[in-house]
Amino acid sequence: MPSFSHFFQTFISSKGLFLDATLLTLKLTIVSILIGIIFGLFFALLKISRIKILEYISNAYVFLVRGTPLIVQIFILYFGFSGIFLIPDFWAAALALAFHNGAYIAEIFRGTIQSVDKGQMEAGRSLGMTRGTAMRRIILPQAFRRALPPLGNQFIIGLKDSSLAAFISMNELFNVATTLGSNHFDEMTYLLIVAIYYLVLVALLTMIVSMLEKKLAISDR
């Protein structure tokens, strides 16, 4: 274990590299979650569709994502598609994370959409709305509101999962830590430093999610 003075000096001297890596990690997480929300909403709507084949497609997507490791999905995008077209490491990681998160977000949206009282859809239809219009104007706004807290938790999971982008040489937090540790023959110190960065980020995000849960709490009364 490194001494406290050595750890502190290393922490200060490496802060520039780690702060840059933190920004890249947050950018990767935000982009992947935003794209994942699009994937998730799309497949959630397929899941609740009355057309069985669409439901089967959604089920197959969720099964595929849950049944394969995220690192395999990243490698398939980065190495598997490189023979067809060149994909930058950032977008390979972002799309793989989005594809992965989308399956879990789909289940979040499916649950929140189905939690809205069915009578509201019937009320919209009685006012002359089509099923699609009633879904867009009445059901989805409420579903999005209810989905925000679990989406916040998925954001935290996505943040930690982004460390796997290190395996395709992205200079996010984990890759910076392992590279510096290898270069200075001091892996433990840099791993402890990156752990602190992750803990701070997760603590901040957890606090934000907790605030959202309190603000957007929906009474069952």
Side-chain angles (χ1 to χ4, degrees), residues 4 12 37-38 48 57 62-63 69 84 125 132 135 143 153 159 171 173 185 198 205 209:
F4 178 77
I12 297 300
I37 287 173
I38 296 172
I48 63 175
I57 291 172
V62 173
F63 176 78
I84 305 173
R125 296 298 299 275
M135 177 67 72
N153 290 325
L159 172 69
N171 285 324
L173 278 170
F185 302 100
Y198 277 118
L205 290 173
V209 170

Side-chain angles (χ1 to χ4, degrees), residues 16 21 31 33 65 72 81 92 98 108 110 133 137 143 166 173 184 194:
V31 170
I33 289 294
V65 169
V72 173
F81 290 165
I108 291 172
R110 179 195 59 78
T133 301
R137 294 185 178 180
L173 278 170
H184 294 87
V194 78

Side-chain angles (χ1 to χ4, degrees), residues 9-204:
Q9 290 173 1
T10 305
F11 184 91
I12 297 300
S13 63
S14 62
K15 69 179 185 301
L17 290 171
F18 275 109
L19 288 176
D20 288 341
T22 298
L23 293 176
L24 181 58
T25 297
L26 286 173
K27 179 182 176 183
L28 175 62
T29 305
I30 291 169
V31 170
S32 64
I33 289 294
L34 289 177
I35 300 175
I37 287 173
I38 296 172
F39 283 165
L41 181 58
F42 176 74
F43 283 101
L45 293 175
L46 294 188
K47 178 83 171 180
I48 63 175
S49 171
R50 295 177 176 177
I51 303 174
K52 282 296 181 183
I53 186 65
L54 299 182
E55 182 182 349
Y56 293 151
I57 291 172
S58 179
N59 288 337
Y61 163 65
V62 173
F63 176 78
L64 175 65
V65 169
R66 288 181 170 179
T68 56
L70 174 55
I71 189 64
V72 173
Q73 296 164 22
I74 293 175
F75 275 23
I76 287 174
L77 270 171
Y78 188 64
F79 295 110
F81 290 165
S82 60
I84 305 173
F85 54 86
L86 183 64
I87 180 168
D89 54 1
F90 176 85
W91 286 106
L95 290 174
L97 286 166
F99 182 79
H100 184 82
N101 287 316
Y104 296 93
I105 293 173
E107 289 300 297
I108 291 172
F109 279 138
R110 179 195 59 78
T112 57
I113 289 172
Q114 292 180 335
S115 72
V116 178
D117 190 277
K118 292 181 180 179
Q120 298 196 40
M121 172 62 78
E122 295 170 1
R125 296 298 299 275
S126 69
L127 293 174
M129 295 183 185
T130 64
R131 180 178 174 82
T133 301
M135 177 67 72
R136 187 176 69 253
R137 294 185 178 180
I138 300 174
I139 307 300
L140 285 182
Q142 297 179 69
F144 271 115
R145 180 184 175 89
R146 299 183 184 197
L148 279 176
L151 282 177
N153 290 325
Q154 190 62 39
F155 188 95
I156 292 172
I157 295 170
L159 172 69
K160 292 185 287 186
D161 285 345
S162 69
S163 61
L164 293 176
F167 290 95
I168 56 171
S169 302
M170 264 198 68
N171 285 324
E172 46 68 62
L173 278 170
F174 183 68
N175 190 32
V176 168
T178 54
T179 300
L180 289 173
S182 178
N183 290 342
H184 294 87
F185 302 100
D186 193 10
E187 287 84 359
M188 182 58 70
T189 299
Y190 287 101
L191 288 175
L192 289 173
I193 289 172
V194 78
I196 290 174
Y197 277 91
Y198 277 118
L199 284 170
V200 170
L201 288 174
V202 169
L204 289 174

